[in-house]
Amino acid sequence: STIKQQKTVIKTPSNQNSFWKTSKIFYGGGLGVTLNRNYTSILIAPEVGYRLFKPWSFAISLRYAYSKYKDSSSEHCNNLGFTVNTKLDILPLSRKSSNLSSTIIGYGAYRYDYYNFNIASDYASNGAYVGIGLRQHFSQRSSVYLLASWRIWDSSIANWGWQNINIIPEISAGIEF
């Protein structure tokens, strides 16, 4: 007598054809140091994001900065906040001598910050930023970037108002994997 074995195959849903793929999730963030004649600031901002398609991504980052002011008051500030941003690869720059590629990127963000001062009153701030930068790719998934961004909209100006754009941008650097 012959016994037949039957294999049961259980199919699990595949995300290969779906919009939400785990391979499109990236993580990274930025570290920053600001040194000028008014204050010194140190920033850490871990980030997680999603690449919608090849040139366009969205991300959210948590921010912590410690600032020490250089006047006689010895004031310092702990800044907590978050940023929701988008980056768009605008113009690829070819490098014939290497497999590495560089890209000019556009940047847009909404940022919320809560400032906790040791002497002055605490306050919160919301703002919108635009910027431009340079991304250096090391593989399909990893890159470093350098951004110059300007605050163009500010909650502290009469219930949201256009910011008089300071010609000096905020400069930031980050990494994505």
Side-chain angles (χ1 to χ4, degrees):
S1 102
T2 305
I3 299 175
K4 270 186 155 176
Q5 281 188 323
Q6 184 177 6
K7 288 186 178 179
T8 305
V9 177
I10 300 173
K11 287 192 169 188
T12 57
S14 171
N15 71 350
Q16 293 303 316
N17 295 323
S18 73
F19 179 74
W20 297 104
K21 295 180 183 179
T22 56
S23 63
K24 291 184 169 189
I25 296 172
F26 65 88
Y27 58 92
L31 297 171
V33 176
T34 302
L35 304 168
N36 67 32
R37 60 187 173 138
N38 297 325
Y39 67 94
T40 299
S41 180
I42 298 170
L43 166 77
I44 183 167
E47 177 180 71
V48 64
Y50 190 80
R51 289 181 183 88
L52 292 173
F53 48 88
K54 180 70 173 153
W56 195 17
S57 66
F58 284 91
I60 186 164
S61 64
L62 300 177
R63 300 169 45 84
Y64 171 77
Y66 175 81
S67 299
K68 174 82 170 125
Y69 295 86
K70 296 179 181 176
D71 60 9
S72 60
S73 69
S74 298
E75 187 170 21
H76 63 268
C77 173
N78 291 296
N79 170 296
L80 299 170
F82 68 90
T83 302
V84 177
N85 71 63
T86 183
K87 296 179 192 93
L88 179 64
D89 293 351
I90 298 172
L91 179 65
L93 305 172
S94 63
R95 299 178 79 187
K96 295 182 179 101
S97 62
S98 172
N99 291 332
L100 305 178
S101 65
S102 299
T103 307
I104 293 176
I105 59 175
Y107 173 79
Y110 163 79
R111 190 165 96 193
Y112 172 83
D113 290 299
Y114 179 78
Y115 298 89
N116 180 316
F117 290 93
N118 67 322
I119 297 174
S121 298
D122 298 350
Y123 73 94
S125 173
N126 299 285
Y129 291 77
V130 295
I132 192 162
L134 181 66
R135 179 193 310 272
Q136 176 64 55
H137 298 275
F138 293 104
S139 71
Q140 281 189 323
R141 289 196 49 89
S142 62
S143 64
V144 295
Y145 59 86
L146 182 64
L147 287 172
S149 61
W150 293 266
R151 187 176 197 138
I152 60 166
W153 197 258
D154 191 332
S155 66
S156 64
I157 301 174
N159 295 325
W160 285 88
W162 287 105
Q163 174 84 19
N164 290 328
I165 296 176
N166 186 345
I167 194 81
I168 301 171
E170 288 188 13
I171 304 295
S172 58
I175 188 165
E176 293 177 357
F177 295 101

